[in-house]
Amino acid sequence: NIQVNQASIVGENASQNKTATSFSVQARVLDWFDPEASEIWPIDGYDWDIILAADVVWIESLILPLVRTLRFICSKVATSHGYSPLILLSYQCRSKLIEELFFGALAEYSFRVVTVPVEDVKSERIQVFQIKFQT
């Protein structure tokens, strides 16, 4: 399974790149269509502080599963710890319709989206967004 291999490689790379400061980076496979069945809780006693996502929205059928999964994670962390993880999304616009549906779904599911200014992006179609679940 490609996703399992990728999660394993990312986790190994994160462990090898630790610095003297104390932090933990872990990667897990997450099924957007069934996030509750994914083995993502607990992660060695830690919860989610940040979610990084890049190039994850390009077809309409993935929009609601992704947004619902983000809400599931953020709600669970907010309920147990009183805060919601920060989501950083690198997004490339491929279709105005998909973009409108995606950001509309985020708003509908109580997410606040802020554009993060990035100077060194080579394409005007690529943007970075900070997304926060409003509890």
Side-chain angles (χ1 to χ4, degrees), residues 112-125:
R112 182 177 50 87
V113 179
V114 176
T115 303
V116 176
V118 180
E119 296 176 15
D120 296 331
V121 176
K122 295 181 181 177
S123 172
E124 293 178 10
R125 294 182 352 181

Side-chain angles (χ1 to χ4, degrees), residues 4-25:
V4 171
N5 292 337
Q6 288 174 337
S8 175
I9 290 167
V10 169
E12 289 172 19
N13 286 342
S15 295
Q16 292 172 0
N17 290 315
K18 272 190 170 179
T19 63
T21 59
S22 176
F23 67 91
S24 175
V25 176

